[in-house]
Amino acid sequence: MNMNRLVSIRWKLTLYAIGFSLLMFAAALCGIIIFYKLDFRLLWWIEKKNIPVVVILGAAVVLFGAITGWAYGNTLKKRMGRLLESITLFERGNFSHRLQMREGEDDEVGLMAQRLNEMAGHIQLQVASLQKLSTEKAEMGEQLKKSAIVEER
């Protein structure tokens, strides 16, 4: 399975956070301009080291959005990676493996992990039951052979 697909979750959330941050910045800037009845050109001319303050604030907002989006996306990527790893183990027949739930992971991803653990438990019980039945069948076959040999004698 291709693990690189999970990488895009991190970057998509980063882009969404940057977009949301810029949208909120633009809304706040428009609110300030309307509330104080300012001219945007006036805000553009306020400079710090020959850079308009509006540009500096915009860059700070983009940086904040990128950091928060990347951090949350990275956390989500790691959690999804743990889910994928467990699914791979279940695929290979290791139904004794359980996903460890951490505190605060009671969202949708945590619910998926809980359901996977329950599913693995059910499958593990079914496999044990089938193994027991198979063993009993083999024992009955041996007993049948022995009784057939005894009858022939």
Side-chain angles (χ1 to χ4, degrees):
M1 188 166 285
N2 189 356
M3 292 286 284
N4 290 335
R5 290 184 192 166
L6 292 178
V7 175
S8 67
I9 290 172
R10 179 187 320 162
W11 297 114
K12 281 183 183 178
L13 284 173
T14 302
L15 289 175
Y16 292 152
I18 290 171
F20 182 74
S21 298
L22 281 174
L23 184 68
M24 298 312 319
F25 175 68
L29 192 62
C30 287
I32 289 170
I33 290 171
I34 292 170
F35 185 75
Y36 291 108
K37 298 177 182 160
L38 298 174
D39 185 13
F40 180 75
R41 289 175 285 177
L42 176 69
L43 289 177
W44 188 258
W45 290 111
I46 300 172
E47 294 180 346
K48 183 88 171 176
K49 295 190 179 186
N50 294 329
I51 301 173
V53 172
V54 175
V55 173
I56 294 171
L57 289 175
V61 165
V62 167
L63 183 64
F64 176 77
I67 290 170
T68 54
W70 190 88
Y72 183 71
N74 196 42
T75 302
L76 186 60
K77 179 192 172 294
K78 286 179 182 176
R79 291 179 68 201
M80 296 295 281
R82 285 190 0 232
L83 275 176
L84 184 61
E85 181 182 320
S86 295
I87 290 169
T88 303
L89 288 172
F90 295 154
E91 240 177 14
R92 293 181 181 157
N94 183 0
F95 298 109
S96 61
H97 173 75
R98 295 293 182 269
L99 282 151
Q100 298 300 317
M101 300 295 291
R102 296 182 181 149
E103 192 172 325
E105 291 186 347
D106 54 351
D107 57 356
E108 290 84 358
V109 177
L111 183 62
M112 284 192 292
Q114 181 183 352
R115 297 289 180 146
L116 278 171
N117 285 339
E118 291 171 4
M119 180 189 72
H122 291 304
I123 292 174
Q124 192 175 20
L125 288 174
Q126 288 177 344
V127 166
S129 176
L130 286 172
Q131 286 174 341
K132 182 181 174 188
L133 286 173
S134 177
T135 304
E136 288 175 0
K137 184 179 175 184
E139 288 173 358
M140 287 178 66
E142 281 296 317
Q143 286 177 352
L144 187 62
K145 282 183 187 177
K146 287 179 184 177
S147 63
I149 291 172
V150 169
E151 278 186 34
E152 280 183 21
R153 292 183 183 165

